[in-house]
Amino acid sequence: MKKMVNKKADTIVLETVIFIILNIIFFVTMMIFVFRSGTSSYVYEQTYAKQIALIIDNAKPDMAIMFDISDLDDFLEKNNFPINEVFSIDKQNNKVFVKLGRNSGYSYRYFSDYDIELKANSNRLNIIVRNKS
Amino acid sequence: MNKKADEKYLSIWWFLALALTGLGIVLAVVIFNSADVNTNNLEAELLNDKIAGCLTKDGNFYEKALEPGFDIYDYCKLNKNAFNLGSSFYFNITIYKEGVLLNYTLGGDRSFEADCRSTAKISAKHYPKCKSTSTGITDKDNNVYIIEILTASNQEGEKVAITR
């Protein structure tokens, strides 16, 4: 009789332990997925490209605009990505190109006909606007 | 004895609840990451302000804009390639003096004009965002000009793959 009772208790404990472990596995998996998705570069690329294009279209010749990019510091440090490769201008097609990944980036067009120069350092992007010669 | 059989059936519902919870979390994250920050209305406004600003000189209407051969792209520093057929931008400038049409200039995707009329009444997701202004301005001789400017932007940007 005692042996039967112990066997039933063992089964209950085992079931409970398995239940808890499966729950932990599920929630840890969800946390990893959410955390990795939250650091996705696509949203940053899109936001910065559009902001820079708007700044260029709103600017006048011989203006120099300092744009705060300190939000990118953690991202670049974690991914070991050089700051001078992030921002570029496609002068032929008048597009801003922002690259935060090794294999892809995001481009956005501006409609103004200026000569644009971008200079990035750790927490600031200098946008220099000049007339085309 | 039935209680033991009930526990076996309940575990299926538990897996189903977990699956639904997981699916909800994944969907929420995917929707968040696919969100688009649309700046087309700002672009239309900037384009409108830029054109309006460059047709004014020292607070008066820039009359040379009415001369034949006046290049609005060169004078207003607009990139001509950005306003080719099939572009994401559009502008339409109409200039009146005492009710008489003097000049009509347009550039970009002309289908945006009809789209702007539609979106004036309803909101539509993939239609261009438009800005329409009508301004009265005088020249040095106090003649009044009415400048109507319609601008539109439907740019979506693009994700670019880098191939080495």
Side-chain angles (χ1 to χ4, degrees):
Chain A
M1 188 66 182
K2 213 180 180 181
K3 254 190 182 173
M4 278 181 72
V5 170
N6 281 341
K7 202 172 179 182
K8 195 176 180 184
D10 286 345
T11 311
I12 290 167
V13 168
L14 186 63
E15 281 174 5
T16 309
V17 166
I18 290 170
F19 178 78
I20 290 169
I21 290 169
L22 284 174
N23 271 298
I24 290 169
I25 291 170
F26 171 77
F27 283 108
V28 165
T29 309
M30 283 295 113
M31 293 286 281
I32 291 169
F33 170 72
V34 170
F35 182 72
R36 288 192 72 180
S37 302
T39 56
S40 166
S41 60
Y42 180 69
V43 177
Y44 281 118
E45 285 174 348
Q46 201 191 147
T47 312
Y48 279 111
K50 289 183 177 181
Q51 282 184 302
I52 294 167
L54 285 174
I55 287 170
I56 291 169
D57 284 330
N58 202 19
K60 295 209 170 2
D62 300 323
M63 266 189 169
I65 298 119
M66 287 185 288
F67 182 56
D68 181 22
I69 54 170
S70 53
D71 287 345
L72 285 179
D73 283 349
D74 290 340
F75 181 90
L76 294 173
E77 208 178 303
K78 205 169 74 175
N79 293 290
N80 201 22
F81 206 76
I83 185 86
N84 56 352
E85 286 184 20
V86 175
F87 303 97
S88 61
I89 294 283
D90 177 356
K91 293 192 180 184
Q92 208 163 359
N93 297 307
N94 275 41
K95 285 184 179 180
V96 178
F97 185 62
V98 178
K99 186 178 94 164
L100 290 172
R102 303 275 170 204
N103 303 315
S104 65
Y106 188 88
S107 74
Y108 204 71
R109 194 165 209 169
Y110 53 92
F111 55 74
S112 301
D113 197 27
Y114 295 133
D115 181 25
I116 306 296
E117 197 185 330
L118 301 180
K119 287 180 186 172
N121 59 28
S122 59
N123 57 6
R124 203 184 295 163
L125 176 70
N126 294 324
I127 305 168
I128 299 155
V129 181
R130 292 189 195 97
N131 275 320
K132 278 190 176 173
S133 51
Chain B
M1 284 169 87
N2 283 340
K3 209 175 174 181
K4 202 174 177 183
D6 286 343
E7 282 174 4
K8 281 189 184 171
Y9 285 119
L10 270 174
S11 65
I12 298 168
W13 293 111
W14 172 70
F15 278 114
L16 188 64
L18 271 186
L20 283 171
T21 308
L23 188 66
I25 293 171
V26 168
L27 267 174
V29 170
V30 166
I31 288 167
F32 176 79
N33 278 333
S34 63
D36 191 31
V37 180
N38 194 308
T39 56
N40 289 343
N41 57 335
L42 286 171
E43 285 169 9
E45 276 186 44
L46 280 176
L47 182 57
N48 201 298
D49 291 344
K50 197 177 183 82
I51 292 171
C54 87
L55 291 178
T56 313
K57 194 172 182 182
D58 300 327
N60 293 316
F61 175 63
Y62 185 66
E63 289 165 282
K64 285 188 180 175
L66 297 172
E67 289 175 7
F70 174 74
D71 186 353
I72 187 117
Y73 296 101
D74 182 51
Y75 186 70
C76 296
K77 300 294 177 199
L78 299 174
N79 179 252
K80 212 167 191 172
N81 293 331
F83 296 92
N84 286 336
L85 197 65
S87 81
S88 305
F89 302 107
Y90 171 76
F91 69 84
N92 174 333
I93 309 165
T94 317
I95 304 172
Y96 298 92
K97 181 181 172 185
E98 292 169 5
V100 176
L101 175 66
L102 295 181
N103 196 308
Y104 182 75
T105 311
L106 49 82
D109 191 332
R110 291 158 199 212
S111 66
F112 284 8
E113 193 166 348
D115 292 341
C116 286
R117 266 182 261 133
S118 307
T119 53
K121 292 170 189 168
I122 53 161
S123 174
K125 196 177 175 187
H126 293 292
Y127 272 54
K129 298 288 185 286
C130 308
K131 172 80 177 180
S132 175
T133 55
S134 180
T135 316
I137 189 159
T138 55
D139 63 7
K140 290 173 204 171
D141 302 320
N142 279 327
N143 296 309
V144 179
Y145 294 85
I146 305 293
I147 305 171
E148 291 180 355
I149 305 172
L150 172 67
T151 52
S153 168
N154 198 17
Q155 193 180 183
E156 290 185 348
E158 52 180 346
K159 193 154 175 69
V160 179
I162 299 163
T163 50
R164 291 176 183 263

